[in-house]
């Protein structure tokens, strides 16, 4: 996917998030994104293996 398409998608997501007025809903969105990031980081750590000292 080109950077311009990704940029437009990111802008759409930001605008959609800004339209959410309910604070609990906003919090749920942020928590979901953080969970997904944690999963991606865990997968990345598994692929690299244990850290070397």
């Amino acid at each position: 996917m080109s950077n311009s398409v990704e940029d437009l998608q990111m802008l759409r997501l930001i605008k959609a998030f800004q339209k959410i007025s309910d604070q609990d809903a906003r919090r749920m969105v942020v928590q979901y994104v953080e969970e997904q990031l944690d999963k991606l980081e865990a997968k990345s750590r598994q692929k690299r293996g244990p850290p070397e000292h």
Side-chain angles (χ1 to χ4, degrees):
M1 201 175 329
S2 71
N3 283 343
S4 61
V5 172
E6 290 175 2
D7 290 346
L8 288 174
Q9 287 178 333
M10 187 62 65
L11 286 172
R12 283 181 32 229
L13 289 171
I14 291 168
K15 286 181 181 182
F17 181 78
Q18 289 173 334
K19 289 180 182 179
I20 300 172
S21 59
D22 182 275
Q23 291 301 311
D24 289 332
R26 289 173 70 103
R27 190 174 298 111
M28 286 186 344
V29 169
V30 171
Q31 287 174 336
Y32 175 79
V33 172
E34 289 175 337
E35 288 171 7
Q36 297 308 305
L37 177 59
D38 288 342
K39 288 178 185 178
L40 286 172
E41 288 175 342
K43 281 183 183 179
S44 178
R45 283 190 300 271
Q46 285 178 345
K47 288 181 182 179
R48 287 193 311 245
E52 295 179 23
H53 294 279

